[in-house]
Amino acid sequence: MQRTFGVSTVTLSRGDITTCAVDAIVNAANAELAGGGGVDGAIHRAAGPSLMEQTRRDHPGGCPPGEAVATRAGDLDAKFVFHTVGPVWWGGGQDEAATLRGCVASCLSLAAVHQCRSIAFPAVSCGVYGYPVDLAAGEIVAALRDGLAGRGEPLDVRVVLFDEGTFAQFARVLEDAA
């Protein structure tokens, strides 16, 4: 499934984000950038130890929620990993939506700074952070739409989702996005 926003394209697919041949892979990281489970663990395993070494060296203070930092991608078929810290879901009353949108905006800003032509996003915050997939899909797609609308250079954006249920939720949202 695909949608165009401005001069950029958002493509939704099922699969393993660590196998994407893109300029940047977005990592759903924790605030300490200490590695973890889910997408974060998979990216660190696939990238090899150099990813954690660079992360510790270049970002010893971690990363606040809603922001992102860049590292090289180690053994991944990408140039960069953009580590972003999504919100923990507390029921929607703790500015979770704004924080999640901030994750996407920060990654799109890093893509511009690093002159990326392609980027792959996971379902940020939908794993152990407990963000409901239907709500996260709405925020992530809206942030992509808004962030890509005024972009002068095209960006190939891939939203790569691991399971069928998450894919189906994102597909409904992307289909309805205007």
Side-chain angles (χ1 to χ4, degrees):
M1 164 169 274
Q2 206 171 63
R3 281 304 289 263
T4 300
F5 299 116
V7 297
S8 299
T9 303
V10 176
T11 305
L12 191 64
S13 66
R14 278 195 62 211
D16 179 352
I17 197 168
T18 68
T19 64
C20 290
V22 291
D23 290 333
I25 291 176
V26 174
N27 180 21
N30 56 52
E32 294 79 28
L33 303 179
V39 170
D40 190 19
I43 289 171
H44 276 275
R45 283 189 299 279
S50 66
L51 183 63
M52 183 58 75
E53 291 166 9
Q54 184 184 3
T55 302
R56 287 184 177 149
R57 182 184 66 242
D58 295 351
H59 307 287
C63 179
E67 296 184 21
V69 296
T71 61
R72 287 290 189 190
D75 295 334
L76 295 168
D77 195 7
K79 295 176 186 174
F80 302 99
V81 173
F82 297 161
H83 307 267
T84 192
V85 181
V88 173
W89 180 255
W90 294 105
Q94 303 295 317
D95 287 330
E96 293 99 329
T99 302
L100 188 54
R101 284 179 178 241
C103 291
V104 174
S106 293
C107 290
L108 293 177
S109 292
L110 285 174
V113 166
H114 292 285
Q115 300 177 334
C116 295
R117 293 179 183 213
S118 57
I119 185 171
F121 281 88
V124 175
S125 283
C126 291
V128 297
Y129 282 15
Y131 210 113
V133 174
D134 59 331
L135 300 177
E139 297 302 335
I140 290 169
V141 169
L144 287 170
R145 180 196 63 220
D146 296 347
L148 296 171
R151 191 177 165 91
E153 293 293 320
L155 185 63
D156 171 15
V157 178
R158 302 174 199 174
V159 180
V160 182
L161 306 162
F162 190 72
D163 66 84
E164 185 61 41
T166 304
F167 178 86
Q169 292 282 359
F170 272 79
R172 279 193 282 282
V173 171
L174 189 59
E175 187 174 356
D176 293 340

